[in-house]
Amino acid sequence: TTNPDGTRTAHYYGNYSPSPCMIADSQPIPGTNKVVSTAMAHHGYTHGSIIIVDVSKGEDGLDPLTVLTPEIAFPEASYDAMSWMLKAPVPVFDSSSTSGLKTRATAMAPYPINDTLFLCSYAASGRGYKTYLIDTMGGRELIYGSDEVSAAIPVRPRKVPRVIPSVLPENQKEQTGTLVVQDVYINRHVNEKRPIAKGSIKSMRVNLILTQPARGHWPRGEVSNEVIKRPLGTAPVNADGSVAFSAPSGVPLQLQALDKNGMAVMTMRSFVYLQPGETQTCVGCHENRASSPPNIIKTRIKVNPLKPTPGVDYDDMAFSFTRTVQPVLDRYCIGCHGLGGRNEKGKTPSKSLVFSMALDETLGSKQFAVRPDSYQALVRSIGTRLAHRNGETFISVARDYFSHTSKLPKMLLAGHNGVKLDPDSFERIVTWLDLNSQCYGTYLPNRIEQRKPSTSGQAALRAYVKELFGAKLAAQPLGALVNPANLTESRILIGPLPKTQSGWGSIENGYKSTSDKRYAKMLKLAEKAYEPMEFINIDGTCGRPKCLCGNCWIREMVDAGVYKKQLKANLATDK
């Protein structure tokens, strides 16, 4: 639901309900707080069974629903919902059927006349929709018998609906809004087995949800059909559970409540929007929408800017494992794990955590499913409970997924093998886990992480590494030396920098600073160690001569001269 000016976006019904699978065609019923809708399938047209939703009886489950067409099962419904429908005390329309749920009938486009009478399009055999008048007592009356008409509405004079004035400031320049949560501990899903103690939530993470721009897409990580996200930053939660922060407007935002270690205790499964200049207030996290807000807060809540997430200083993609997490592994873990068949201590590692992305040209389109060895080793060995598509629980509880279910944070906090991560590096790790362990930050096939090594560029780099740091380091895998997605955090560049210069200080006889001529030369060689991007993404499409994303209309518009000259120049570089 939303106001006419786009403010106060909120979920209305069914966020935790497995059935109906989807709800569409919603229309308000005059004189009530109910709506009439079509219960439909996810994979199908907008048709199904006609229902009334009364949220005064709840926000989820079957209790708020009245089924006007019980002879029509909810498409793609759960067993519980179908069993419940069989007991519905409404007469069955299809008298020739031995069971109300065996009919092939389907309906759509309900329109309320009043709180008991509704127009709808009804097809008794699944085809040939006709206009019927139906009611809450099971009555059916054919109004118009031609299937040339669907989605009929009455034409009649009516009172002008109440005008809801806009609350947005005029001439708003800043493209931001403010979100206020009054008490993060007000939560309908907290129970004795998974409590959230007062004072345990220390900050709120805000994630930007990136929408999928094209039909064709490729795996973004271990979870199929993952909706990718980019963390925008965190805001501190006050002792009384309140938090307020400014965030970008006009984009879908996800919230995560974090503990003292920056690990997600609760994760929002839907999203919220802010309009420019809007201040939106929530009672709590996952609170009952019918609940009253707590007592008026006596002190003014400070609106904080979001503190950026370490290692996510890019806005051209969603969270990238290679760009943000791999530098942490290169700094702290590579000595014992990785470097091909032997590690720096001369032993064979149990898990390979080196970045390895050699692409086999014979893989064809399968190459887009290839992920770094380090990513594969971690997601398949640290026991994280991931939220898999169609496999998630219906209702959220505290610490049910992500970093709190993983062995990795526990190992790192305990000082695994004497390793003590700096706070920023630990935050990178848990942020990755809390984002459902996504790997790539784009839906499209053009990925900076998958650039191919350059034969000549790699040779020149190794020669200079050998000159400065010796043959042993120069012989290590290219992925252990240069990060193709995050050049300045490549091990061969940041490792020899002293800690006083924001480096790692992990490679001896290093550079004095980034102004060191040796650093500048190594940076240029690192840039040429991988081939340039073969193709570029253009307005959310793959930009390839042979389209892979399914949105070739972008290219056609460029060819037709509709787009800017710069885009056409970019296309000219395609091979």
Side-chain angles (χ1 to χ4, degrees):
T1 59
T2 184
N3 285 334
D5 64 354
T7 59
R8 293 299 302 169
T9 55
H11 112 88
Y12 183 73
Y13 164 82
N15 203 38
Y16 292 107
S17 302
S19 295
C21 184
M22 291 187 73
I23 297 176
D25 290 339
S26 296
Q27 295 281 352
I29 300 175
T32 75
N33 290 321
K34 306 173 186 178
V35 299
V36 63
S37 307
T38 302
M40 60 170 289
H42 179 203
H43 305 92
Y45 294 103
T46 308
H47 59 186
S49 192
I50 306 300
I51 59 173
I52 293 175
V53 183
D54 182 359
V55 293
S56 69
K57 298 179 180 179
E59 298 171 62
D60 287 285
L62 300 172
D63 290 341
L65 305 185
T66 299
V67 184
L68 296 177
T69 55
E71 70 278 16
I72 305 172
F74 292 169
E76 296 184 354
S78 69
Y79 174 80
D80 290 341
M82 296 183 65
S83 300
W84 174 79
M85 287 184 67
L86 282 168
K87 301 175 183 177
V90 184
V92 173
F93 178 42
D94 188 357
S95 59
S96 64
S97 174
T98 57
S99 169
L101 296 182
K102 291 184 179 180
T103 178
R104 296 177 60 192
T106 186
M108 65 176 183
Y111 197 96
I113 304 299
N114 54 36
D115 60 348
T116 61
L117 294 173
F118 306 87
L119 291 174
C120 77
S121 294
Y122 191 101
S125 62
R127 295 185 179 184
Y129 285 93
K130 296 176 173 57
T131 302
Y132 276 84
L133 184 68
I134 64 175
D135 60 42
T136 54
M137 301 298 292
R140 309 286 191 269
E141 183 176 347
L142 180 65
I143 298 297
Y144 189 72
S146 171
D147 59 6
E148 295 177 354
V149 174
S150 63
I153 62 173
V155 179
R156 58 184 177 182
R158 63 170 181 152
K159 293 182 179 179
V160 175
R162 180 172 64 93
V163 176
I164 302 177
S166 176
V167 297
L168 295 175
E170 295 182 3
N171 303 318
Q172 174 70 16
K173 295 181 179 180
E174 295 293 330
Q175 295 301 302
T176 60
T178 300
L179 184 65
V180 180
V181 181
Q182 297 186 45
D183 189 347
V184 298
Y185 301 105
I186 298 178
N187 186 319
R188 80 181 92 174
H189 299 314
V190 173
N191 54 47
E192 294 180 357
K193 294 182 179 179
R194 292 181 178 269
I196 302 179
K198 282 278 189 178
S200 63
I201 303 301
K202 300 299 184 182
S203 60
M204 185 77 73
R205 182 188 292 132
V206 182
N207 299 322
L208 171 66
I209 298 175
L210 277 76
T211 53
Q212 181 180 319
R215 294 199 305 272
H217 59 90
W218 289 262
R220 278 80 72 194
E222 187 74 4
V223 176
S224 65
N225 289 74
E226 177 67 8
V227 178
I228 57 177
K229 307 163 190 74
R230 181 173 71 243
L232 298 177
T234 58
V237 172
N238 300 314
D240 61 359
S242 62
V243 58
F245 53 86
S246 57
S249 59
V251 292
L253 303 173
Q254 179 197 51
L255 307 181
Q256 292 183 304
L258 311 181
D259 64 12
K260 63 180 181 180
N261 293 316
M263 299 162 64
V265 177
M266 290 290 285
T267 295
M268 187 179 194
R269 293 193 183 183
S270 55
F271 49 83
V272 64
Y273 281 91
L274 295 170
Q275 295 297 332
E278 176 186 6
T279 297
Q280 187 170 160
T281 303
C282 301
V283 173
C285 293
H286 298 254
E287 81 277 6
N288 189 322
R289 288 283 180 176
S291 63
S292 299
N295 293 333
I296 297 174
I297 300 173
K298 297 179 181 180
T299 58
R300 182 180 179 89
I301 302 176
K302 180 182 178 182
V303 178
N304 291 287
L306 294 176
K307 177 186 175 184
T309 303
V312 189
D313 54 350
Y314 44 88
D315 57 8
D316 57 336
M317 64 170 71
F319 187 94
S320 163
F321 174 88
T322 302
R323 208 162 179 170
T324 301
V325 177
Q326 188 64 44
V328 178
L329 307 181
D330 290 343
R331 181 178 186 180
Y332 291 102
C333 310
I334 206 169
C336 294
H337 303 273
L339 301 178
R342 313 288 285 181
N343 60 31
E344 288 187 331
K345 297 180 180 180
K347 298 179 181 179
T348 303
S350 58
K351 299 291 181 184
S352 174
L353 294 180
V354 66
F355 183 86
S356 176
M357 188 56 81
L359 295 181
D360 186 343
E361 293 297 322
T362 63
L363 286 175
S365 62
K366 291 182 180 179
Q367 68 178 343
F368 303 117
V370 175
R371 297 186 282 272
D373 288 348
S374 52
Y375 176 88
Q376 295 293 90
L378 284 175
V379 296
R380 296 181 180 181
S381 65
I382 59 177
T384 307
R385 188 185 185 196
L386 302 177
H388 286 281
R389 175 177 178 260
N390 293 339
E392 308 97 322
T393 56
F394 292 134
I395 296 177
S396 296
V397 294
R399 300 173 289 277
D400 53 357
Y401 288 101
F402 314 141
S403 61
H404 269 287
T405 68
S406 174
K407 293 186 291 186
L408 185 58
K410 299 180 180 68
M411 292 167 56
L412 296 174
L413 289 171
H416 172 67
N417 282 350
V419 173
K420 180 65 175 177
L421 265 63
D422 63 278
D424 283 1
S425 294
F426 184 79
E427 185 174 350
R428 293 189 189 201
I429 294 289
V430 296
T431 300
W432 167 62
L433 293 170
D434 287 339
L435 293 182
N436 215 17
S437 298
Q438 71 186 43
C439 182
Y440 294 114
T442 177
Y443 295 97
L444 297 171
N446 305 322
R447 295 166 169 169
I448 191 172
E449 299 96 331
Q450 292 185 318
R451 287 192 295 156
K452 300 173 183 177
S454 165
T455 303
S456 59
Q458 184 178 175
L461 173 83
R462 292 188 186 281
Y464 194 54
V465 173
K466 182 179 179 180
E467 178 185 333
L468 294 186
F469 306 114
K472 186 177 179 180
L473 185 60
Q476 291 183 3
L478 180 61
L481 300 174
V482 180
N483 187 319
N486 189 353
L487 202 63
T488 56
E489 287 199 82
S490 296
R491 183 161 160 262
I492 199 57
L493 287 167
I494 197 170
L497 274 176
K499 293 182 180 179
T500 56
Q501 297 293 319
S502 301
W504 297 347
S506 58
I507 297 177
E508 296 180 355
N509 303 317
Y511 324 113
K512 295 180 180 179
S513 68
T514 55
S515 300
D516 192 317
K517 292 181 179 179
R518 297 176 300 161
Y519 177 91
K521 182 177 179 179
M522 191 68 78
L523 176 60
K524 290 181 179 180
L525 291 171
E527 290 173 343
K528 297 179 180 180
Y530 288 92
E531 297 285 355
M533 291 282 288
E534 188 174 7
F535 303 105
I536 59 171
N537 298 329
I538 300 176
D539 278 12
T541 68
C542 65
R544 294 171 176 246
K546 185 178 181 181
C547 181
L548 293 178
C549 68
N551 275 20
C552 292
W553 59 270
I554 292 284
R555 178 174 294 278
E556 292 170 0
M557 292 187 71
V558 173
D559 292 340
V562 177
Y563 272 30
K564 295 179 181 179
K565 292 181 179 180
Q566 181 59 46
L567 287 179
K568 196 164 186 178
N570 289 344
L571 286 175
T573 65
D574 285 355
K575 296 181 181 178

